[in-house]
């Protein structure tokens, strides 16, 4: 039986070779071998996991990076966690640098909070702890019934700004929307730079559906009617007239920039860059206002659909993302995309959790709003 003296094992739950690169970097830093397992898809697209070594009584870390096929990656993680649980692993800790469905963490009309559903599924599969990075909303941690360590990528991105952007002292940190202002403020304060905020939209991004929610209440004229006819033939007492205050419709103003970006390097910071339309529009308005270089810093570079082409054709000079999500194909399509390696902090988190050490060191100088 090949049981390491360290008492813990690190597995990758990805069936795609491109997605195991981060797991290999983490295990190299830890000085351990990647656990022996086979994850593959059956011809009918069912996920199958086969663990090739004993995990009885050990602490297991499952590293799962999320590719474009999000749902397959989730099933791989769930099936592997359950396989390890039924193989009598002592603790099963998921290392999920980019947590999927994190944008679906709020109720919208008749939708659902999918992020809460996923948290329940992971707990049911056997996970006892999660290590992730830059959750879209920090409140997501409350969805889980077990501990969640939400690491930050900002120290690595700030280091990139200081070392790779010439004359960064002439830069200004930009929030592409008021919702991102707190994150941008955290970067600006640590870099000792100014702050600008882009406010407004060219058009409403979330159109309201004609589902009757905005229809005015029915003002019932009770003259001539003694009540409502019920199926039984009886009558109900008439409703009084309903008079509600006039509700002003929310309307966003045209795009404006709060702050002076003229003659500056504009650095837009965010947690996720996926559909780059908003970033391209922000870059155009910043160019119009006099910014001579535009950088985008984001933790998770999903870069779906035509994102590489749009970035290449835009006024954006460089997009810097971490390797929480594999994006080697996108980098080949767009040389403006650069990668920052965060395997160091993930490996250190694994080491500290296994040794029972405090995680506070990994959060030093991190602001609450970061």
């Amino acid at each position: 039986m090949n049981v390491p003296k360290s008492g813990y094992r690190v597995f990758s739950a990805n069936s795609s070779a491109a997605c195991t690169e981060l797991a290999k970097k983490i295990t190299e830093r830890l000085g351990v071998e990647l656990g022996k397992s086979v994850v593959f898809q059956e011809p009918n697209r069912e996920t199958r996991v086969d663990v090739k070594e004993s995990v009885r009584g050990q602490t297991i870390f499952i590293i799962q990076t999320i590719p474009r096929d999000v749902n397959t990656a989730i099933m791989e993680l769930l099936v592997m966690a359950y396989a390890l649980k039924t193989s009598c692993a002592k603790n099963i800790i998921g290392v999920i640098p980019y947590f999927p469905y994190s944008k679906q963490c709020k109720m919208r009309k008749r939708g659902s909070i999918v992020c809460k559903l996923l948290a329940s599924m992971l707990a049911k599969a056997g996970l006892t702890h999660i290590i992730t990075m830059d959750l879209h909303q920090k409140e997501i941690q409350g969805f889980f019934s077990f501990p969640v360590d939400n690491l930050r990528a900002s120290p690595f991105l700030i280091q990139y700004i200081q070392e790779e952007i010439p004359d960064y002292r002439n830069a200004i940190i930009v929030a592409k929307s008021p919702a991102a202002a707190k994150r941008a403020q955290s970067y600006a304060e640590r870099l000792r730079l100014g702050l600008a905020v882009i406010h407004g939209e060219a058009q409403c991004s979330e159109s309201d559906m004609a589902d009757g929610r905005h229809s005015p209440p029915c003002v019932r004229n009770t003259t001539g009617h003694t009540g409502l006819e019920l199926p039984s033939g009886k009558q109900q007492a008439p409703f009084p007239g309903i008079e509600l205050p006039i509700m002003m419709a929310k309307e966003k103003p045209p795009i404006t920039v709060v702050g002076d970006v003229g003659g500056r390097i504009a650095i837009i910071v965010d947690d996720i860059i996926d559909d780059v339309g908003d970033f391209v529009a922000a870059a155009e308005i910043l160019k119009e206002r006099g910014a001579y270089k535009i950088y985008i810093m984001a933790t998770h570079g999903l870069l779906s659909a035509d994102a590489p082409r749009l970035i290449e054709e835009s006024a954006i000079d460089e997009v810097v993302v971490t390797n929480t999500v594999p994006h080697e194909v996108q980098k080949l399509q767009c040389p403006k995309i650069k990668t920052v390696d965060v395997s160091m902090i993930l490996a250190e988190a694994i080491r500290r959790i296994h040794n029972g050490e405090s995680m506070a060191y990994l959060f030093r100088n991190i602001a609450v709003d970061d």
Side-chain angles (χ1 to χ4, degrees):
M1 184 183 299
N2 183 21
V3 179
K5 294 180 180 179
S6 56
Y8 76 98
R9 299 294 286 162
V10 180
F11 287 85
S12 173
N14 287 113
S15 59
S16 171
C19 297
T20 60
E21 292 302 318
L22 180 59
K24 291 177 181 177
K25 289 183 178 181
I26 292 173
T27 52
E28 286 175 4
R29 292 184 179 276
L30 290 170
V32 299
E33 293 183 0
L34 199 60
K36 296 179 177 61
S37 64
V38 178
V39 182
F40 62 97
Q41 309 296 319
E42 297 278 9
N44 62 353
R45 304 299 297 165
E46 288 185 359
T47 299
R48 186 176 292 275
V49 172
D50 187 9
V51 180
K52 296 293 187 179
E53 57 187 283
S54 174
V55 296
R56 183 178 296 273
Q58 295 187 66
T59 296
I60 306 298
F61 293 87
I62 307 174
I63 301 173
Q64 180 71 329
T65 52
I66 306 298
R68 287 189 176 185
D69 192 354
V70 177
N71 296 329
T72 297
I74 291 172
M75 280 305 302
E76 289 172 348
L77 176 60
L78 292 171
V79 175
M80 172 160 276
Y82 191 67
L84 294 167
K85 177 183 177 181
T86 54
S87 298
C88 299
K90 182 180 179 182
N91 293 306
I92 304 171
I93 301 171
V95 182
I96 314 171
Y98 166 64
F99 194 80
Y101 287 98
S102 58
K103 285 189 174 182
Q104 297 190 47
C105 61
K106 295 180 181 179
M107 180 66 74
R108 295 190 182 277
K109 291 192 176 177
R110 295 183 179 88
S112 62
I113 306 176
V114 183
C115 196
K116 175 68 169 67
L117 171 64
L118 182 55
S120 301
M121 292 167 65
L122 293 173
K124 192 69 176 177
L127 265 68
T128 58
H129 195 147
I130 277 183
I131 302 170
T132 187
M133 181 169 282
D134 281 339
L135 287 170
H136 187 59
Q137 297 289 340
K138 298 178 184 65
E139 293 78 10
I140 291 174
Q141 296 176 76
F143 293 161
F144 294 86
S145 57
F146 49 75
V148 176
D149 286 308
N150 182 27
L151 304 177
R152 306 294 197 276
S154 58
F156 297 90
L157 296 175
I158 287 174
Q159 183 180 17
Y160 185 94
I161 292 172
Q162 293 172 327
E163 296 179 356
E164 302 296 333
I165 298 181
D167 195 22
Y168 84 92
R169 290 292 182 186
N170 189 37
I172 185 169
I173 304 299
V174 180
K176 72 176 181 66
S177 67
K182 287 185 177 180
R183 182 186 301 273
Q185 181 182 356
S186 175
Y187 276 72
E189 289 175 350
R190 281 183 282 173
L191 288 165
R192 312 295 192 270
L193 298 176
L195 176 66
V197 180
I198 297 176
H199 178 53
E201 285 185 348
Q203 60 182 1
C204 186
S205 59
E206 293 182 7
S207 59
D208 292 325
M209 295 173 60
D211 59 357
R213 293 196 172 202
H214 301 291
S215 58
C218 178
V219 180
R220 188 174 299 281
N221 183 4
T222 57
T223 59
H225 294 278
T226 58
L228 298 178
E229 187 76 18
L230 298 178
S232 60
K234 298 180 181 178
Q235 288 194 341
Q236 185 180 2
F239 291 118
I242 300 176
E243 295 182 3
L244 297 177
I246 298 176
M247 301 178 188
M248 298 298 294
K250 184 174 73 171
E251 183 176 347
K252 292 191 176 182
I255 295 179
T256 57
V257 179
V258 181
D260 183 17
V261 298
R264 301 273 191 97
I265 300 171
I267 303 175
I268 304 173
V269 298
D270 212 338
D271 61 328
I272 299 173
I273 176 168
D274 186 5
D275 180 9
V276 299
D278 291 343
F279 292 93
V280 171
E284 290 176 356
I285 192 71
L286 290 171
K287 277 286 187 183
E288 292 175 4
R289 297 302 173 90
Y292 69 91
K293 270 195 174 181
I294 298 169
Y295 291 80
I296 294 176
M297 300 280 166
T299 304
H300 310 296
L302 305 186
L303 303 170
S304 302
D306 293 332
R309 180 182 59 81
L310 295 174
I311 292 171
E312 185 67 23
E313 297 172 356
S314 72
I316 299 169
D317 292 281
E318 197 168 280
V319 175
V320 183
V321 294
T322 72
N323 57 343
T324 56
V325 177
H327 51 264
E328 294 303 319
V329 175
Q330 290 89 329
K331 287 179 69 175
L332 294 175
Q333 297 171 349
C334 177
K336 292 182 179 180
I337 301 171
K338 309 296 181 183
T339 306
V340 175
D341 182 21
V342 293
S343 61
M344 179 191 300
I345 192 171
L346 294 169
E348 181 63 15
I350 291 174
R351 189 192 68 80
R352 286 176 175 270
I353 289 173
H354 173 65
N355 293 333
E357 299 176 18
S358 172
M359 297 284 284
Y361 180 78
L362 303 181
F363 295 93
R364 69 194 188 283
N365 301 325
I366 299 294
V368 175
D369 297 324
D370 188 4

